[in-house]
């Protein structure tokens, strides 16, 4: 790696390239330490949020990065700036998908929803936007099965510092380290590997009492949300949009139509149509047309088959018995 | 054109076969070779075109490429007579391919034939000479006279003689234009008709005809050899391996001279014929004797001499060569499609390894052609002819096969215009007597070759009777006679061990007789366990004209046996009842000490033979074959023979079919499943009744590689999935996430009730799919004290409707709808397809005993090559099921080996880019022809094809659906393979691996073939093939390997190494009886996590059975250098390329590449403790 280090650029497209020395491992012996590269710059999203000016944006996060490991990295090796939170763009296993309506349905909250997707959820603000289930809190959530999550390879993170000053300080410190070529080590948190999988195995099967209470909490919260959702739907039903149309939404009739009934009706309808009208082979022209159609079908089928055989020949060459 | 017309007239109004004219007539044109050729080809074309006119109304007779432009009407209206359009079109193409072109290449052979003809006609007359004189004659030229054994007596009174032949003609298939061009040499027959003047009336007796014939042949050889101007390679052979009929083989000299016909890739056979009616017909009838025993005259007249049908037929066949040429020629002019039907028959026979040669069955092209010709004519007094001249070539072909399949010519001979002829009583050849030509055309056949012919014919008729698929490939293209694919067991017996004297006169006969005895013995011993026994005798070679016929040295008899899956593994054979003294004695005599008297449940006391089903080393079939051959052919045979069968069964535990079915090892689990169902249905206090209780797991359909429960009492490692469905209720919430939580509440309730009902059951609730709240969230795990464990999930049918509504709901955002689509696919797969698939496979496995072990071996193959994470188990099962339900051209496999190998062969041929896998679950296999009702209709198949083609149009790069597998239950075809499972590269690897495996098998076939040839002693014996070699994966092909620490690899856990068996058992009980260890698979979890973390930047491979190594391949599109991108989606390494420095525009043109070292470091960190070492290439 030493030779490539000299070639490594210190910055790239406005990002400072911070090399991290990785720990040497028993299972992977290497002569020189291996290096991981972080790309860091001050956070500058298209839609700034209140925390933007005290955040750094990091690309190519190691897969075992966690909030606390990033915090330790800045605290111990990069000038001791204090990190408030770290928001990762991805996690393995992925954060639960919460189904929502398109932003048009609730435009005033669209931006917020977009921002919040994949992040920590804020229950208070958008409860009635969720299209399915409820936004879960600690109580109604099912017990977690992993003690820590992983990141997808090559993911990004936004590091929010406690204040603007520590953010700037951290960035400066990064640039300084890069210029000096000082070694920054990546200290992985303990608890990966076998231990993590063992914990997962025990977490997979939570205590029954825990499940009981979680489900009770969920169902009561669901009842509340459902009421709210019904209210929202009722409103949509009654309010015409700017063109004067009323959106047709669920819940207009007493209950969902039964599938069996619908099918019975369909059969009835077909029956009725069958009885109506003249028989199909009553007139001579009908017979003639039918025959013509059948012939056409045969011809079409033949053309189709011929095309297939032609294609087969094109693919495998000549048709010769195996020897 | 005029010339051509004249030519044609000549041939049609002459005596039918234009060869003489053509041969002599075109001599004049010899100076203008090219023109001559043109005439020949034009002539042919003209003829064909004329036919074409009748059949297809082709507009221009002159067009050389006739077929391609066939009018659509042709196909539209001929679909009926040709099975289907596809079949007809492929048939046309095949015919075009296999017919020799009669062009420039063949012209050189025709020239050589003219030369030969001239040479032969110039040979001077010789004799009459006595036998010693005749031998002296060739002393100087050192040519041997190919006298058949027994050699003629020196004091014979008759004289040998040579005179100018009556005629020299081309004969056989070549001039009739029914020969086929394949990879082998083309054979062109030339017949030299000896003049009648050299024979006497009684020459048919005691080989006299054959001695004269041999001398005549030697004279021809002498004449050809003495010619200074013309050089050919000449050797002797026997016509069809019949030692009575030596012939001359002429091969090109290869020196490029005018006579060299190497370019024609053919050999010319010079046959001898006697003129028609040389000998009286009645003397050569099958029932008469023509070889008088060497005893005094008086005795022989008193004793009744046994008939010599084979000898008689051989003499008769020599004197009816011309008669048959006439017959075939008239048939081809009377019946338009006769020629094509002959060609189809030739291809069919060739793919099944039949030939006219005695040792290859004695049913070849000539017999086929003659049979059709005779069946086209009506038999006096027996109603209309079996075939009609108006038939299409396909109809002729199929009807002839039907005739072969349905008529047992051994029991009821077919007499054509010969009501007075009787079949000899003790002859074992089938009887198809051609009265006008006084010949049983099947005289060369053996009982086993006839049985095999009928069997193959039956299979093909069945196959052609299927409506859904066209079956063209299995009928004509596939090589059916591959010993490893066709047969379940192969016995190799060195001829030397039989103890014949190779120099004795009777070597030929005794070999045949031994084979006959072997056949009857094996057939009697194996009874209905086998469907076909084929005995392959060592092949003869042609020999130099300078020597007498060489002795055969060594070689092997190879006996191939195909089993009946239902009976092959029966342990007890019942013999005659004890009271029936005579039969019982015969039975005892046959079985020796093996026979024992037993009393059976129904009270009968029978002689019987009992085999041990427990001896897992050798299956029952092998035991029987070894025993009976040793008993009846001596211990030398017993020691030197080699029996091999079901050679892949040991790859899996309990792979051999024990008893009547292959599902026995799964019975404990199935019983536990039934017990659990009963328990759960009996629970009181569930708010809803249980409507359905479905098994949904490979272990519950007999298809898991490892047996779920073992004899050592331990807990099952992987719980078997079950799906239950409650009765309908309106009280479920109308929301997916809430439904999932309600399900958990149900599971809690069931678990609670179950543990109070059966206190020995351990239950726990596990969580899953945490990222997808609308998919199933939890399952109930039930661990039985006896070992089995189950995973129970609840199916609620409202989910489908809700998910479909979400899919259509335009007010939902994209991510939500995508998630709904995923959930819907998972729902359909887990709750609808898997249970129904499980049910289907369950029934199929009980119906086909070999299915379960075949699937397990095939799965083992997939996982041994680290492919298991890429293929759904159901998909692999479908591949194997196809082999059983559409087994054509073979019968249903009877053991794991044939099931596996045929599946592999199919995979190696499968062009998955263009062809979907369609499994007709409704077809009941070839046996149950009665329940055709459920079989797929061709419309259904077409619908599936259309769907497949639509997928290929949507996704031509094969990014989402690579393999397509549909059944009648699942016409969508992507249930098991959607989402690039497997990916294109992996599917390609599957094909490559299957092809490599087939190559290994090809070597084994070559070895078997070389056994037949015997060859020189110095030749190294090829090592027999090791089945395990197909299961060893080459790890060189991967970029890096993660070696799993032995503590965690499953292969080690399964077989703890211990010196003492009892300790081992104790250990394993301790290790496995911990409930926590059930379903604990850190390595598998690790591997799946790696896949999630690295997405498509690394392709992962592992063997989920052994889990000792995880292999990775970098995605080649990412390992290269590429432009900087912030969210590359993989661990990158920034680079400054020299180009950028020059431009001084460093920032913008910065590049990155995959940081392999750091990635591997991450992988190692994540797997710390699990991995022993990481190997990088």
């Amino acid at each position: 790696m030493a030779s490539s280090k000299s070639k490594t650029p210190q910055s790239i497209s406005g990002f400072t390239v911070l090399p991290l020395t990785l720990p040497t491992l028993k299972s992977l012996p290497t002569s020189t330490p291996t290096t991981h590269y972080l790309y860091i710059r001050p956070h500058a999203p298209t839609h700034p949020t209140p925390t933007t000016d005290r955040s750094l944006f990091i690309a190519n996060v190691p897969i075992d990065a966690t909030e606390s490991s990033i915090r330790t990295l800045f605290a111990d090796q990069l000038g001791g700036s204090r990190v408030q939170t770290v928001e990762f763009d991805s996690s393995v296993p992925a954060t639960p998908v919460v189904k929502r309506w398109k932003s048009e349905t609730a435009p005033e909250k669209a931006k917020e929803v977009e921002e919040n997707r994949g992040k920590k959820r804020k229950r208070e603000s958008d409860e009635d936007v969720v299209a399915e289930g409820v936004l879960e809190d600690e109580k109604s959530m099912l017990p977690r099965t992993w003690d820590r999550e992983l990141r997808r390879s090559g993911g990004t993170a936004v590091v929010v510092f406690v204040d603007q000053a520590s953010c700037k300080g951290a960035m400066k410190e990064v640039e300084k380290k890069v210029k000096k070529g000082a070694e920054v080590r990546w200290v992985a948190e303990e608890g990966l590997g076998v231990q993590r999988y063992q914990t997962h195995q025990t977490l997979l099967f939570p205590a029954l009492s825990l499940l009981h209470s979680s489900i009770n909490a969920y169902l009561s919260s669901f009842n509340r949300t459902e009421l709210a959702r019904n209210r929202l739907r009722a409103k949509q039903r009654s309010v015409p949009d700017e063109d004067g149309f009323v959106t047709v939404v669920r819940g207009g009739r007493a209950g969902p139509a039964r599938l069996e009934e619908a099918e019975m009706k369909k059969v009835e309808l077909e029956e009725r149509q069958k009885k109506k009208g003249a028989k199909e082979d009553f007139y001579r022209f009908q017979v003639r047309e039918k025959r013509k159609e059948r012939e056409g079908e045969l011809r079409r089928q033949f053309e189709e088959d011929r095309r297939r055989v032609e294609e087969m020949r094109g693919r495998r060459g000549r048709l010769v018995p195996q020897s | 054109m005029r010339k051509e017309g004249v030519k044609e007239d000549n041939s049609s109004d002459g005596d039918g076969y234009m060869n003489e004219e053509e041969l002599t007539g075109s001599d004049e044109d010899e100076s203008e070779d090219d023109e001559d050729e043109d005439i020949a080809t034009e002539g042919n074309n003209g003829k064909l075109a004329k036919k074409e006119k009748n059949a297809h109304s082709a507009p221009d007779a002159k067009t050389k490429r006739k077929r391609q432009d066939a009018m659509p009407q042709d196909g539209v209206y001929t679909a009926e007579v040709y099975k289907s359009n596809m079949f007809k079109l492929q048939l046309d193409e095949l015919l075009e391919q296999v017919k020799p072109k009669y062009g420039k290449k063949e012209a050189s052979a025709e020239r050589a034939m003219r030369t030969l003809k001239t040479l032969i006609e110039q040979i001077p007359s010789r004799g009459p000479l006595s036998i010693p004189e005749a031998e002296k004659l060739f002393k100087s030229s050192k040519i041997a006279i190919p006298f058949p054994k027994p050699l003629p007596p020196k004091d014979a009174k008759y004289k040998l003689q040579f005179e100018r032949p009556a005629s020299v003609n081309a004969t056989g298939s070549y001039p009739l234009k029914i020969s086929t061009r394949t990879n082998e040499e083309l054979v062109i027959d030339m017949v030299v008709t000896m003049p009648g003047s050299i024979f006497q009336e009684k020459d048919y007796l005691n080989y006299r005809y054959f001695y004269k014939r041999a001398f005549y042949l030697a004279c021809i050889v002498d004449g050809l050899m003495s010619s200074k101007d013309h050089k050919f390679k000449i050797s002797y052979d026997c016509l069809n391996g019949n030692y009575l009929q030596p012939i001359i083989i002429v091969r090109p000299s290869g020196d490029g001279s005018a006579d060299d016909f190497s370019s024609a890739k053919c050999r010319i056979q010079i046959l001898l014929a006697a003129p028609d009616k040389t000998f009286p017909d009645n003397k050569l009838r099958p029932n008469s004797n023509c070889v008088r025993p060497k005893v005094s005259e008086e005795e022989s007249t008193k004793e009744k001499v046994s008939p010599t049908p084979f000898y008689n037929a051989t003499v008769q066949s020599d004197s009816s060569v011309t008669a048959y040429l006439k017959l075939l020629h008239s048939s081809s002019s009377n019946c338009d499609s006769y020629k094509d039907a002959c060609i189809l028959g030739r291809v069919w026979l060739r793919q099944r390894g039949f030939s006219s040669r005695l040792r290859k069955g004695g049913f070849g092209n000539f017999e086929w052609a003659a049979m059709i010709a005779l069946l086209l004519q009506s038999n006096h007094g027996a109603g209309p002819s079996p075939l009609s001249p108006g038939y299409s070539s396909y109809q002729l072909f199929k009807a002839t096969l039907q005739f072969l399949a349905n008529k047992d010519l051994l029991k009821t001979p077919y007499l054509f215009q010969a009501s007075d002829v009787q079949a000899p009583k003790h002859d074992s050849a089938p009887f198809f007597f051609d009265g006008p030509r006084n010949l049983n055309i099947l005289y060369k056949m053996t009982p086993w070759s006839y049985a095999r012919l009928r069997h193959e014919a039956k299979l093909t008729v069945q196959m052609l009777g299927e409506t859904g698929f066209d079956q063209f490939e299995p009928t004509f293209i596939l090589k059916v006679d591959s010993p490893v694919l066709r047969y379940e067991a192969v016995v190799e017996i060195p001829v030397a061990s039989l103890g014949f004297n190779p120099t004795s006169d009777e070597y030929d006969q005794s070999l045949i007789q031994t084979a006959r005895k072997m056949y009857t013995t094996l057939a009697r011993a194996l009874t209905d366990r086998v469907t076909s026994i084929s005995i392959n005798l060592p092949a003869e070679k042609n020999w130099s004209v300078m020597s007498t016929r060489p002795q055969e040295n060594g070689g092997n008899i190879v006996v191939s046996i195909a089993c009946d899956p239902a009976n092959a593994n029966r342990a007890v054979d019942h013999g005659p009842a004890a009271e029936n003294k005579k039969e019982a004695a015969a039975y005892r005599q046959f079985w020796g000490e093996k026979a024992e008297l037993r009393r059976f449940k129904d009270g009968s006391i029978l002689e019987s033979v009992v085999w041990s089903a427990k001896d897992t080393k050798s299956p029952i079939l092998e035991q029987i074959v070894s025993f009976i051959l040793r008993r009846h052919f001596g211990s030398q045979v017993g020691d030197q023979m080699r029996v091999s069968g079901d050679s892949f069964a040991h790859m899996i535990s309990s792979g051999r079919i024990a008893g009547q079915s292959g599902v026995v090892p799964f019975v404990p689990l199935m019983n536990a499943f039934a017990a659990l169902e009963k328990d759960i249905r009996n629970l009181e206090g569930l708010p809803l009744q249980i409507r359905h209780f479905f098994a949904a797991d490979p272990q519950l359909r007999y298809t898991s590689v490892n047996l779920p429960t073992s004899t050592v009492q331990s807990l099952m490692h992987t719980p078997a999935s079950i799906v239950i469905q409650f009765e309908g209720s309106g009280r479920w919430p109308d929301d997916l996430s809430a439904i999932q939580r309600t399900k958990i509440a149900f599971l809690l309730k069931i678990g609670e009730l179950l543990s109070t009902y059966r206190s020995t059951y351990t239950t726990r609730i596990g969580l899953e799919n945490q990222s997808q709240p609308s998919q199933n969230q939890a399952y109930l795990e039930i661990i039985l004290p006896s070992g089995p464990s189950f995973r129970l999930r609840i199916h609620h049918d409202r989910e489908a409707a809700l998910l479909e509504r979400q899919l259509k709901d335009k007010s939902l955002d994209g991510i939500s709808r995508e998630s709904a689509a995923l959930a819907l696919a998972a729902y359909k797969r887990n709750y609808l397809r898997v249970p129904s698939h499980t049910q289907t496979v369950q029934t199929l496995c009980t119906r086909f005993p070999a299915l379960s072990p075949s699937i397990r071996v095939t799965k083992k193959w997939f996982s041994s090559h680290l492919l298991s994470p890429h293929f759904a188990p159901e998909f692999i099962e479908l591949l194997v099921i196809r082999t059983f339900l559409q087994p054509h051209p073979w019968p249903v496999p009877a053991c794991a080996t044939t099931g596996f190998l045929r599946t592999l062969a199919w995979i190696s041929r499968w062009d998955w880019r263009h062809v979907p896998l369609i499994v007709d679950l409704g077809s009941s296999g070839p046996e149950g022809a009665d329940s055709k009702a459920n079989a797929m209709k061709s419309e259904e198949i077409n619908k599936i094809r259309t769907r497949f083609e639509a997928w290929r149009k949507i996704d031509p790069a094969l990014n989402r659906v690579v393999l397509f597998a549909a059944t009648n239950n699942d016409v969508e075809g992507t249930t098991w393979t959607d989402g690039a499972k497997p990916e294109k590269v992996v599917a390609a690897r599957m094909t490559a691996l299957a092809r490599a495996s087939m190559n290994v098998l090809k070597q084994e076939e070559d070895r078997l073939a070389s056994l037949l040839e015997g060859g020189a002693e110095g030749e190294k014996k090829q090592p027999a093939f090791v089945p395990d070699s197909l299961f060893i994966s080459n790890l060189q092909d991967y970029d890096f390997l993660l070696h799993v620490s032995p503590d965690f690899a499953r292969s080690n856990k399964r077989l703890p190494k211990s010196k003492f068996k009892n300790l081992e058992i104790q250990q394993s009980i301790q290790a496995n009886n911990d409930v926590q260890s059930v379903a604990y698979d850190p390595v598998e979890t690790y591997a799946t996590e790696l896949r999630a973390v690295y997405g498509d930047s690394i392709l992962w491979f592992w063997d989920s059975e052994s889990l000792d190594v995880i292999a990775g391949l970098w995605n080649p599109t990412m390992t290269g250098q590429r432009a900087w991108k912030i969210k590359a989606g993989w661990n990158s390494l920034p680079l400054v390329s020299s180009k950028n420095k020059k431009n001084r525009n460093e920032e913008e043109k910065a590049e990155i590449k995959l940081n392999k070292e750091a990635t591997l470091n991450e992988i190692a960190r994540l797997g710390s403790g699990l991995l022993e070492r990481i190997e990088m290439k």
Side-chain angles (χ1 to χ4, degrees), chain B residues 155-335:
Chain B
D155 54 350
K157 294 195 182 81
Y158 45 86
K159 297 277 161 63
L160 310 177
Q161 194 175 352
F162 180 88
E163 265 168 45
R164 193 172 190 277
S167 70
V168 180
N169 271 339
T171 185
S173 55
Y174 183 79
L176 283 171
K177 300 206 165 53
I178 55 171
S179 62
T180 47
R181 181 54 107 178
T182 50
N183 288 332
E184 295 130 38
E185 278 180 323
L186 189 69
V187 178
I188 303 180
D189 290 336
M190 236 177 113
V191 63
V192 176
T193 312
M194 298 177 277
S197 56
I198 65 171
F199 295 112
Q200 291 163 318
E201 195 192 344
K202 290 269 182 182
D203 273 354
Y204 62 88
L205 276 176
N206 293 345
Y207 303 98
R208 271 161 58 180
Y209 165 75
F210 293 109
Y211 299 143
K212 291 193 171 175
R213 185 186 184 283
F215 175 74
Y216 199 93
L217 197 70
C219 289
I220 295 180
V221 169
D222 185 45
L224 295 180
M225 298 282 278
S226 58
S227 151
K228 294 274 179 318
D229 312 331
H230 301 288
K231 287 254 159 25
F232 297 103
K233 277 186 191 158
I234 295 173
S235 57
Y236 283 134
D237 195 358
C238 289
L239 181 62
N240 297 326
N242 186 346
Y243 65 102
L244 293 173
Q245 290 167 294
I247 54 170
I248 303 173
I249 304 282
V250 183
R251 284 210 161 78
S253 57
D255 58 1
S257 63
D259 300 315
D260 182 17
F261 58 98
S262 312
S263 62
K265 283 197 196 101
C266 69
R267 63 169 195 264
I268 299 174
Q269 295 196 133
I270 301 181
L271 324 178
L272 289 185
D276 273 5
K277 311 284 172 210
T278 312
F279 307 113
D281 275 357
N282 58 345
K283 298 289 180 194
L284 292 171
R285 287 270 159 86
N287 260 328
S288 22
N289 171 294
C290 293
V291 184
R292 306 282 194 261
K294 284 183 200 156
V295 279
S296 62
E297 294 277 316
E298 294 151 38
E299 266 180 76
S300 70
T301 46
K302 273 179 212 159
E303 267 178 58
K304 218 183 163 196
V305 285
S306 57
T308 52
F310 183 80
Y311 175 95
N312 304 0
T314 310
V315 179
Q316 186 61 37
S317 74
D318 254 6
S319 52
S320 53
V321 171
T322 334
Y324 274 107
L325 189 63
K326 266 183 200 160
L327 172 71
L328 302 195
H329 193 272
S330 73
S331 304
S332 73
S333 48
N334 289 340
C335 170

Side-chain angles (χ1 to χ4, degrees), chain B residues 28 105 141 151 212 248 276 312 318 334 392 485 494 534 568 581 585 644 684 743 865 934 1063 1081 1170:
Chain B
E28 308 152 14
K105 285 179 181 173
S141 55
L151 292 177
K212 291 193 171 175
I248 303 173
D276 273 5
N312 304 0
D318 254 6
N334 289 340
S392 73
L485 293 179
S534 153
K581 289 268 165 52
S644 54
E684 280 171 25
K743 281 189 187 173
H865 291 290
N934 296 326
L1063 284 185
D1081 260 322
L1170 289 174

Side-chain angles (χ1 to χ4, degrees), chain B residues 631-706:
Chain B
R631 175 165 169 79
H632 290 275
F633 294 88
S635 58
Q636 212 183 349
V637 173
D639 293 339
Q640 291 184 24
M641 74 177 178
R642 187 166 165 270
V643 189
S644 54
D646 207 359
S647 43
F648 286 91
H650 70 278
M651 296 308 305
I652 49 169
S653 51
S654 310
R656 296 212 188 281
I657 305 168
Q660 291 297 307
S661 87
V663 299
V664 176
F666 289 85
V667 165
L669 179 65
M670 295 309 282
N671 289 342
F673 173 75
L676 182 71
E677 173 171 7
K678 214 173 143 208
D679 286 344
I680 291 183
R681 282 186 187 273
N682 281 346
L683 290 180
E684 280 171 25
L686 277 178
L688 293 174
Q689 287 292 310
I690 292 170
R691 191 197 284 163
H692 295 299
F693 198 90
F694 290 121
D697 196 274
Q699 299 175 99
L700 291 171
R701 51 177 187 249
Y702 319 110
T703 60
S704 60
V705 176
N706 289 312

Side-chain angles (χ1 to χ4, degrees), chain B residues 647-942:
Chain B
S647 43
F648 286 91
H650 70 278
M651 296 308 305
I652 49 169
S653 51
S654 310
R656 296 212 188 281
I657 305 168
Q660 291 297 307
S661 87
V663 299
V664 176
F666 289 85
V667 165
L669 179 65
M670 295 309 282
N671 289 342
F673 173 75
L676 182 71
E677 173 171 7
K678 214 173 143 208
D679 286 344
I680 291 183
R681 282 186 187 273
N682 281 346
L683 290 180
E684 280 171 25
L686 277 178
L688 293 174
Q689 287 292 310
I690 292 170
R691 191 197 284 163
H692 295 299
F693 198 90
F694 290 121
D697 196 274
Q699 299 175 99
L700 291 171
R701 51 177 187 249
Y702 319 110
T703 60
S704 60
V705 176
N706 289 312
L707 297 180
T709 50
S710 62
T711 46
V712 184
Q713 197 206 10
S714 65
L715 294 178
M716 213 162 101
H717 185 78
T718 321
S721 295
I722 300 174
V723 169
I724 63 167
Q725 194 177 3
F726 289 110
E727 61 182 340
S729 159
R731 293 179 59 200
W732 286 84
D734 211 22
D735 177 282
L736 281 162
S737 300
I739 286 174
Q740 304 307 341
R741 302 299 169 112
T742 316
K743 281 189 187 173
I744 302 183
F746 269 114
L747 291 177
L748 280 165
K749 186 82 184 162
I750 296 175
E752 189 190 311
L753 290 171
L754 194 63
S755 10
T756 41
Y757 185 71
R758 297 258 183 228
S759 53
T760 48
Y761 289 6
T762 315
T763 61
R764 58 183 186 184
I765 288 184
L767 301 176
E768 64 181 359
N769 298 329
Q770 294 224 297
S771 318
Q772 298 286 344
S774 54
Q775 291 187 22
N776 190 44
Q777 293 287 292
Y779 48 82
L780 176 70
E781 210 158 273
I782 306 159
I783 301 162
L784 272 54
S786 53
S789 51
F790 299 94
R791 216 168 243 199
L792 186 144
R793 291 183 181 85
I794 297 170
H795 170 204
H796 179 50
D797 51 10
R798 179 97 186 109
E799 282 178 51
L802 288 173
L803 285 167
E804 265 159 19
R805 186 192 293 165
Q806 284 187 355
L807 264 182
K808 285 176 200 146
D809 188 350
K810 294 231 168 70
S811 68
L812 280 176
D813 66 3
I815 300 173
S816 304
R817 276 157 74 190
E818 203 174 291
S819 142
L822 268 179
L824 186 60
Y827 168 87
K828 280 191 183 160
R829 189 171 57 240
N830 295 335
Y831 295 120
L832 305 179
R833 304 274 183 252
V834 174
S836 86
H837 176 82
T838 303
Q839 221 165 12
T840 317
V841 177
Q842 271 177 356
T843 14
L844 289 175
C845 278
T846 39
R847 207 171 79 206
F848 302 115
L851 179 58
S852 158
S854 303
I855 291 178
R856 293 171 58 214
V857 174
T858 312
K859 278 188 175 172
K860 171 95 180 168
W861 183 81
F862 271 90
S863 63
S864 299
H865 291 290
L866 311 187
L867 295 174
S868 45
H870 296 277
F871 291 89
E874 291 83 2
F875 171 75
I876 302 178
E877 284 157 24
L878 285 181
L879 283 174
V880 185
I881 291 171
R882 198 212 65 88
T883 311
F884 279 74
L885 287 179
Q886 287 131 264
H888 314 303
W890 299 292
V892 175
C895 68
T897 305
T898 35
F900 164 65
L901 291 180
R902 288 180 204 168
T903 307
L904 217 53
W906 191 79
I907 296 175
S908 73
R909 292 198 313 270
W910 184 21
D911 178 11
W912 38 262
R913 276 164 205 278
H914 302 102
V915 181
L917 163 65
I918 303 176
V919 182
D920 184 1
L921 295 172
S923 102
S924 41
E927 286 111 40
D930 45 318
S931 55
K932 282 245 167 84
N934 296 326
M936 272 178 158
K937 309 268 180 318
S938 50
E939 300 92 70
E940 281 178 82
I941 293 168
N942 279 339

Side-chain angles (χ1 to χ4, degrees), chain A residues 52-143:
Chain A
T52 303
D53 49 358
R54 50 189 170 97
S55 316
L56 291 183
F57 182 81
I58 306 182
N60 199 21
V61 176
I63 63 155
D64 52 350
T66 57
E67 189 166 317
S68 70
S69 66
I70 299 278
R71 189 173 282 151
T72 328
L73 178 73
F74 279 100
D76 296 354
Q77 298 188 65
L78 294 170
S81 293
R82 282 175 58 212
V83 173
Q84 190 184 25
T85 54
V86 183
E87 286 161 4
F88 294 99
D89 73 329
S90 68
S91 77
V92 174
T95 32
V97 175
V98 179
K99 288 188 183 135
R100 292 162 202 273
W101 283 299
K102 264 188 207 153
S103 32
E104 291 91 54
T105 333
E108 72 279 3
K109 280 169 186 158
K111 214 168 279 172
E112 208 172 331
V113 170
E114 280 306 303
E115 280 297 297
N116 283 338
R117 182 171 287 291
K119 295 180 195 169
K120 289 252 161 75
R121 296 165 297 256
K122 297 183 185 87
R123 179 185 183 303
E124 322 77 45
S125 57
D126 50 7
E127 184 180 62
D128 43 353
V129 183
V130 179
E132 178 189 279
V134 293
L135 281 177
E136 298 157 16
D137 55 13
E138 285 301 320
K139 261 193 204 156
S140 58
M141 212 167 97
L142 282 173

Side-chain angles (χ1 to χ4, degrees), chain A residues 260-273:
Chain A
E260 296 84 23
E261 275 174 35
E263 261 165 18
M264 234 155 69
K265 281 274 176 220
K266 198 178 157 199
V267 173
E268 241 173 64
L269 192 74
E270 276 170 6
E271 202 68 17
R272 234 183 6 228
Q273 271 175 345

Side-chain angles (χ1 to χ4, degrees), chain B residues 116 237 259 389 392 426 447 511 571 608-609 866 877 906 1042 1141:
Chain B
L116 286 171
D237 195 358
D259 300 315
S392 73
H426 298 289
L511 194 62
S608 50
V609 188
L866 311 187
E877 284 157 24
W906 191 79
L1042 315 179
K1141 274 182 186 165

